[in-house]
Amino acid sequence: MASALLRLEEVGRDFDVSRPWLNRVLEGLPRQILRAVDGVSFEVRRGETLALVGESGCGKSTVARLIVGLYEPSRGRIEFDGVVLTDPRRRAEVRRVRRRMQMIFQDPYASLNPRWRVREVIAEPLRVLGLAASKSEIEARVAELLRQVGLAPEDAEKYPHEFSGGQRQRISIARALAGRPDFLVCDEPTSALDVSVQAQILNLMTELQDRLRLTYLFISHNLAVVSHIADRIGVMYLGRIVELADAGRLFSNPRHPYTRMLLDAVPDLEMSGKPRTPVAGEVPNPLAPPSGCAFHPRCPHAAERCRRERPMLREAGDTRVACHAVEEGRI
Amino acid sequence: MREALARLWDHDLAWSFRRSPVTVAAAAIAFICVAGAVGAPWIAPYNPYDAASLSLENAFLPPAWAEGGRLAHPLGTDDQGRDVLSTILYGARISLGVGLAAVLFALVLGVTAGLVAGYVGGRTDAILMRIADVQLSFPAILIALLIDGVARIALPDDRHGEIAIPVLILSIGISGWVQYARTVRGSTLVERNKEYVQAARVIGRHPLAIMLHHVLPNVMGPVLVIATIHIATAIITEATLSFLGVGVPPTQPSLGTLIRVGNDFLFSGEWWITVFPGVALVTLVLSVNLLGDWLRDALNPKLR
Amino acid sequence: MSAPLLEVRGLRVEFPTRRGTLVAVDGVSFAIAPGEVLGVVGESGAGKSLTGLAIIGLLEPPGRIAAGEVRLEGERIDNLRGEALRRIRGRRIGVIFQDPLTSLNPLYTIGRQLTETILTHLPVSASEARERAIGLLRDVGIPAPEVRIDHYPHQFSGGMRQRVVIALALCAEPRLVIADEPTTALDVSIQAQIIQLLKRLARERGTAVMLITHDMGVIAETADRVAVMYAGRIVEIGPVREVIHAPRHPYTAGLMGSIPKIRAGGARRRERLVQIEGAMPRLTAIPPGCAFNPRCPKRLDRCLVERPVPVASGANEVACWLYG
């Protein structure tokens, strides 16, 4: 088994979503803390694609941002290739390893500075990270990167608005690749794209992964996309990972009731007429999460213990599941 | 070069400009005003500050078309025999200069404050914006009077003339920065959360570089609109202060000073001394305002 | 097939701009029978939403219907204006938009919004209207409707809000509901609930539904027939099973192939998805002949110059020279 490139241990992140101080005092409101991510542990192995799936508000994008350093974790530790990123004493070292991870964003219309030419967009990491010395070197590298993502070197002189959504996403990928990273965090990279374009981008990402030996953390709400691209999948619900398994296993034998519910909810394109259990309820308010297992109000297998005690992510056969019912062998 | 011009001509902004006759007219008038003001030393028939060329015999001449007027002084002369047309041109130069400088000062101050407040957020933001709130509760003129008063006390009498214009620019500028700061802060809050800024952060760019290279160019649109309209407001404020006598000294009169000086003669029949500078002021301000309105509409995608 | 409830023939929507007239919907014809769910599917910019807006007369100026006609139960409605149009909208055609938040007025309780709509269109008393509203809320699956009716939109979650919007669209018992991306803003688990709800309501009430979406999965779950749009034109229309399992038009085939599918077990990873090269043309640059020709793997010479006319191919109707 390949070694872990990235490891998260009990990582948590809180957001202070309180009203402004003056309002709080005048209206007598308490501080409000949103636990966006809580006790998340997983590792990403070299060369694999780990996907995090979940519905909006489950904290998957926050995990992505914690890893690339856009947010500081409130708790826990993140380790990349043996270097603890959360260690303030090893600043220089952290800076060095951070260069090896880049991010691809969701919205191709917001992820490129509208006033910059494509050349400048892609050259920015080259300049900042000092990866190319001369102007001609930068130019050559930009052309190479554009070709790599299926665009023409002449496109370098254009502005982002001259491109379609799919082409912009290619530019985003070229920028992410400019620093020669070995780890890419992809936050819903295709969910703003049309399906035919999504297919182009997914194919491109798979090709690049093979060619450049990249490791991906792939964030998505779309199970079909995830089943296509991921080696392993973590299912998140209200800031926690409820199930973590190999992609094949997760889809053939989902263990956690939430995973089952998600799979059941995916529209059936094959029109096989398979019977579907109607999905019950909605994601609760993350500011007031249910006690015990956060999924218990919607869970058909909920028992007294589920209301009381929070289940931990435990090995269950060849998967890891956070569910009392699975642990007790009830399902 | 030719291609660039063609591109400019074809630009949406240029197109919306061509389609609005009022805007074209306003731009033409504003251009004439600015050209007249900037080129005053070459265009004006006389140099009104050249004491040697003044003679009191020529005082109180009416405009050329009125009885007793002379073609040599088309808009007549004032109490000291200065040519009114020339004083207007020179006055507009001072008014415009003060206005532009004040706007530039306010813009730099406001944009910087707004950018920092919006990008850094937290306590810095809270402090800067509270200062802005306090500032807003004073009318511009009061602030100008205050600064002027302090400057007068702090400096010896004989230097008042020298510092009058810088003080004016400072006071009008300070009273105007809040608007820029608030607008820029708002846009910065939006831009800061856009993914291109996050991408730059992931690359590891310094916050200052992100603010300057990424955020700033994308928040400048509304600032240009405010600045254009602010130029008109600044000219009016300058005129008001000069009219009240705390602005530009009569030795170097701006349009406001001219109106005030002329005002003394309004009821003795020499109306032209005050009316023509007044008309010039209104024309200048109105044309700049119309340009600003057009720019606001043209840059606002919702109104298109 | 019974007489169509809605019939659209040769619909053309244009946007005059400074750089010439853009044709956003071009020669679109279809019909919906009572109780039928017609899915209209296409990628962004295909003109599917504009088709819906044109039918209900909600095109934003300068957009306008330049040709064609729209008939509701045999009566032309595309030339109606003002009051007559408003009476059709709401009374005979209900509308559901993508974003439930903007479809509801945040200042009024949902009960007030429902009863007002009912009172505008139906001859009932205020108390009857309220009864009806409660019944509708129960129908769309809102728990404790007697209490919830007096709540404001912000007190509902996203999924519940979309249910309220559906109730609002149904409250005057329209014969046709136009649903524009009704599930796009929702999470998968909620999306499934809303799809089931729409399907059930259409069946129970005999309401025809025009379901506009970019999501083939939603269409597969809900629609009886499906129209596939590309660059403002319908390229293929037919029974949903036929279109999904045996697509005729190269664009439909490509679209179906490009959708990643979940297959339990097995190593389907790394399997390349079918991809259609390029992107849909911008409205300013729709190629002559067949609009799909630059991206089409089966292009004929004819496709470059001559626009294909729809022909029958099995149960489907296809606008492609490969079939005619």
Side-chain angles (χ1 to χ4, degrees), chain A residues 282-283, chain C residues 100 148 153-163 190:
Chain A
E282 295 185 23
V283 181
Chain C
R148 298 293 266 164
H154 70 89
Q155 291 169 291
F156 290 83
S157 66
M160 284 297 154
R161 241 182 252 141
Q162 193 61 305
R163 288 168 191 268
I190 315 302

Side-chain angles (χ1 to χ4, degrees), chain B residues 267-281:
Chain B
F267 295 104
S268 54
E270 287 85 17
W271 53 269
W272 59 88
I273 304 178
T274 188
V275 167
F276 288 124
V279 170
L281 180 70

Side-chain angles (χ1 to χ4, degrees), chain B residues 62-148:
Chain B
W65 59 87
E67 208 185 309
R70 291 190 210 151
L71 265 182
H73 299 284
L75 298 182
T77 57
D78 68 2
D79 57 326
Q80 297 176 46
R82 288 187 294 212
D83 179 54
V84 171
L85 178 62
S86 303
T87 54
I88 288 176
L89 288 171
Y90 276 87
R93 195 175 150 89
I94 303 243
S95 289
L96 256 176
V98 170
L100 284 174
V103 166
L104 199 68
F105 178 65
L107 191 146
V108 171
L109 196 65
V111 168
T112 311
L115 204 57
V116 170
Y119 192 81
V120 177
R123 198 162 297 171
T124 316
D125 179 28
I127 291 172
L128 280 170
M129 286 302 115
R130 288 305 82 73
I131 295 175
D133 286 345
V134 171
Q135 159 97 68
L136 266 197
S137 52
F138 290 99
I141 293 195
L142 201 63
I143 294 172
L145 286 172
L146 206 73
I147 295 182
D148 185 72

Side-chain angles (χ1 to χ4, degrees), chain A residues 255 301-306 308-309 311 314 316 323-331:
Chain A
R255 301 298 301 275
H301 307 284
E304 182 47 36
R305 186 178 169 206
C306 305
R308 234 178 333 105
E309 186 188 324
R314 291 209 172 85
C323 175
H324 294 312
V326 170
E327 196 189 325
E328 293 161 10
R330 287 193 278 128
I331 48 172

